[in-house]
Amino acid sequence: MACINFMNLNTARSEKRAKEIGVRKAVGSANTQLAIQFLGESMMVVTLAFIVSLLIVILSLPAFNQLVNKHIALPFALPYFWLACIAFILLTGLVAGAYPALYLSSFKPITALKGISLKPKGGRLAGSPRKMLVVLQFTVSVTLIIGTIIVYRQVQHAKNRPIGYSRQQLLSSPIKSDEIIKHFAAFRNDLLNTGAVEEVTATDSPVTNTYVTNSGFTWKGKNPAVTDEFVTLRITHEFGKTVGWKIKDGRDFSREFATDSMGFVLNEAAVKYMGLKNPVVEMIQWGDNEKYKVIGVVEDLVTQSPYEPAKQTIFFLNYKRLNTVNIKIRPSVSASTALARIQSVFKKYDPENLFQYSFADQEYARKFSDEERIARLTTLFAVLAILISCLGLFGLASFVAEQRTKEIGIRKVLGASIAGLWMLLSREFILLILISCLIAGPLAWYFMNGWLEKYTYRTEISWWIFAVSVLGAVLVTLITVSFQAIRAALLNPVRSLRSE
């Protein structure tokens, strides 16, 4: 996009160098020599820009690393780094300078020295190639704007999804000692007696990342050809109270019922998967002999990817194969006070290992890290793309206003208003931006729809996203162009028409 700016502004100012080119050709310079000269100028500009950009990269790299959560370092000591830099300078110089060099060196000396206009016919922006380049620039910018909005909406869509349990004040800690499992009832009571803990449960995997799956379940009406697979979570009695799940049918596990040791609680996805109409009265066989009674159905808990449907899950009691303690902290107690008290209990039952913990809301937030990183990067690239495009547009608007100074003066003398002159100078740029938006819309929809397809739980691409992006692009263009347009319109016509 920067190369497009360079090409546009160089060719736009071609008339300023017409006489120089005419004189050089008249004294024997060949087209090849002139093209090499202009390419050399381009290379010099690119080299100076590279030096400045390298300094900017060095200064901004720590912030960029923090933005993308990476550790990127410039390998100054490696020869291939400098070879790559030289190759990039040459490539950029050629891309930016090739068209202006060929365009400027093609001027006929007689035409250039007589001062005849070199503008191609049919356009104030000096020809179709320049218009196409402006359209290309803003097509990229508008596509990035639309993409940024859609990525942001997808992240927010998943964040606002009901997850079936409460993450607030919920922390988990890995069980590293068998003593905690052996004396879990005493361990739980000690935690409750600290006054900082509301409830305690243990599971075989963290609530925010259930990873254990099992098969071999049989139920009434099951298709024998179906190979079943369920997420299974071993829990203790107080799991529902700790995480705050929502009972949709039946009841929760209770110490009042000894038979609950052979009971299942299913989530809604499991009921749908099995095709059970009255799940609470059903019996499910696991393996060859064990039969479990369904005692309750809970709302789906999002314990894996927030972008995917909740997996069919079976919850059952087990006090042996546990590896995670889940603790609900009292809202009235500060996190630092609660952690200090909880740590003292862990140290009592497991003095050899360091107390480690993670909060459920922080763990859940990490599930969005990749998409949030994409959102931050697309925002950054969109801002840079718009900035570069507007710099080029500002330069072109300035040059067009300079070219039409006498025309503007005559129009003012004949009674043209400032608003009319502003519209005269702005409308061609607005037309180009609207063409860019018409191209960018389908492009952005195609790419972003393909990106969203990898998520089962995804947002919709609404029409207003395109409308806002078009409005934003037009508004930015008007602001950019209007400064030069109004400045030219306010110029005293006496000065505009004065011949030096």
Side-chain angles (χ1 to χ4, degrees):
M1 294 178 76
C3 290
I4 288 172
N5 279 352
F6 189 85
M7 286 188 280
N8 271 345
L9 296 175
N10 253 15
T11 52
R13 298 195 65 83
S14 58
E15 287 191 64
K16 298 291 183 181
R17 304 192 68 175
K19 285 187 170 59
E20 174 199 342
I21 295 164
V23 170
R24 286 179 178 276
K25 283 199 167 186
V27 297
S29 292
N31 284 1
T32 306
Q33 290 175 306
L34 291 170
I36 291 171
Q37 177 199 334
F38 296 132
L39 272 175
E41 292 174 5
S42 170
M43 291 292 181
M44 186 178 295
V45 170
V46 172
T47 303
L48 291 172
F50 168 77
I51 294 168
V52 175
S53 67
L54 200 59
L55 294 173
I56 294 172
V57 168
I58 292 169
L59 293 173
S60 62
L61 196 55
F64 184 77
N65 281 336
Q66 188 175 2
L67 177 71
V68 298
N69 194 27
K70 301 287 182 183
H71 181 68
I72 303 169
L74 293 175
F76 290 116
L78 300 177
Y80 78 83
F81 170 75
W82 294 107
L83 289 173
C85 290
I86 293 167
F88 189 72
I89 290 169
L90 292 172
L91 179 64
T92 308
L94 284 170
V95 171
Y99 177 67
L102 295 172
Y103 177 74
L104 293 171
S105 62
S106 66
F107 290 169
K108 293 181 180 179
I110 295 175
T111 305
L113 290 170
K114 282 184 177 180
I116 298 172
S117 176
L118 299 165
K119 291 182 291 182
K121 296 178 181 179
R124 297 291 185 179
L125 283 182
S128 295
R130 192 164 306 133
K131 292 178 182 178
M132 287 190 291
L133 290 173
V134 171
V135 168
L136 175 61
Q137 272 191 322
F138 273 88
T139 297
V140 174
S141 298
V142 175
T143 301
L144 282 170
I145 292 170
I146 296 170
T148 300
I149 296 173
I150 292 172
V151 170
Y152 177 78
R153 274 174 56 81
Q154 171 64 3
V155 174
Q156 293 305 117
H157 180 69
K159 279 187 174 181
N160 296 332
R161 176 184 182 181
I163 63 168
Y165 65 97
S166 175
R167 301 188 306 269
Q168 282 67 39
Q169 304 297 110
L170 181 65
L171 67 83
S172 61
S173 177
I175 297 174
K176 299 177 181 179
S177 171
D178 291 338
E179 291 300 310
I180 292 176
I181 302 297
K182 290 176 183 177
H183 307 95
F184 184 75
F187 172 75
R188 174 175 171 271
N189 285 331
D190 285 348
L191 284 171
L192 294 174
N193 290 334
T194 61
V197 174
E198 196 170 280
E199 195 50 271
V200 183
T201 188
T203 54
D204 63 344
S205 59
V207 181
T208 55
N209 186 27
T210 54
Y211 51 81
V212 179
T213 59
N214 276 291
S215 58
F217 295 94
T218 305
W219 60 91
K220 185 179 178 180
K222 178 187 177 183
N223 185 347
V226 172
T227 303
D228 60 278
E229 185 177 20
F230 291 82
V231 173
T232 55
L233 190 65
R234 293 174 173 84
I235 62 175
T236 59
H237 282 85
E238 293 76 22
F239 179 81
K241 294 178 183 178
T242 306
V243 302
W245 67 9
K246 299 174 183 176
I247 302 291
K248 305 298 287 187
D249 192 11
R251 62 176 177 82
D252 199 346
F253 289 109
S254 173
R255 295 181 184 276
E256 296 179 6
F257 299 93
T259 55
D260 279 3
S261 60
M262 295 301 290
F264 277 166
V265 169
L266 310 179
N267 70 345
E268 291 176 302
V271 172
K272 186 177 179 181
Y273 180 80
M274 293 178 173
L276 304 177
K277 293 182 179 179
N278 298 303
V280 175
V281 298
E282 294 289 342
M283 297 294 291
I284 298 174
Q285 184 171 333
W286 189 2
D288 296 330
N289 301 313
E290 297 174 330
K291 285 190 176 181
Y292 291 77
K293 182 181 178 181
V294 178
I295 64 169
V297 177
V298 295
E299 186 177 297
D300 289 335
L301 277 66
V302 180
T303 59
Q304 296 179 331
S305 171
Y307 300 104
E308 299 294 333
K311 305 292 185 184
Q312 53 273 15
T313 306
I314 296 174
F315 303 90
F316 62 100
L317 295 175
N318 187 300
Y319 279 78
K320 294 180 180 179
R321 296 174 60 184
L322 304 171
N323 58 34
T324 303
V325 175
N326 304 282
I327 302 170
K328 185 75 170 181
I329 298 173
R330 291 188 180 278
S332 57
V333 181
S334 67
S336 57
T337 302
L339 288 171
R341 295 177 185 178
I342 293 168
Q343 184 177 8
S344 65
V345 176
F346 267 85
K347 198 166 186 65
K348 175 182 175 182
Y349 288 87
D350 184 12
E352 296 180 0
N353 292 303
L354 184 68
F355 170 59
Q356 294 178 317
Y357 65 91
S358 60
F359 282 95
D361 52 358
Q362 294 175 350
E363 288 298 312
Y364 190 76
R366 287 193 182 97
K367 295 176 183 288
F368 302 95
S369 59
D370 289 343
E371 285 71 21
E372 286 180 331
R373 190 178 302 123
I374 292 169
R376 290 194 296 267
L377 285 173
T378 51
T379 302
L380 176 62
F381 291 143
V383 170
L384 287 173
I386 294 164
L387 178 62
I388 293 168
S389 298
C390 288
L391 283 172
L393 206 60
F394 186 83
L396 281 178
S398 172
F399 187 73
V400 168
E402 184 183 336
Q403 278 187 319
R404 303 180 73 174
T405 301
K406 284 185 170 57
E407 177 193 344
I408 292 166
I410 293 169
R411 287 179 182 273
K412 286 193 75 172
V413 169
L414 295 175
S417 65
I418 292 175
L421 292 170
W422 169 75
M423 181 57 68
L424 176 73
L425 292 170
S426 302
R427 65 187 178 190
E428 190 171 3
F429 290 103
I430 298 299
L431 179 62
L432 293 178
I433 304 314
L434 290 175
I435 293 170
S436 298
C437 293
L438 288 174
I439 299 171
L443 273 177
W445 183 89
Y446 175 78
F447 287 114
M448 295 313 298
N449 189 57
W451 180 73
L452 286 173
E453 280 184 354
K454 70 178 184 177
Y455 302 105
T456 307
Y457 189 82
R458 57 179 179 264
T459 186
E460 294 180 355
I461 302 179
S462 305
W463 65 269
W464 65 262
I465 297 173
F466 300 91
V468 167
S469 301
V470 170
L471 187 63
V474 171
L475 188 63
V476 167
T477 303
L478 281 174
I479 293 170
T480 305
V481 174
S482 293
F483 177 80
Q484 293 295 348
I486 294 171
R487 183 183 175 189
L490 290 172
L491 197 64
N492 190 333
V494 175
R495 292 183 60 188
S496 303
L497 296 171
R498 183 176 59 194
S499 177
E500 295 297 337

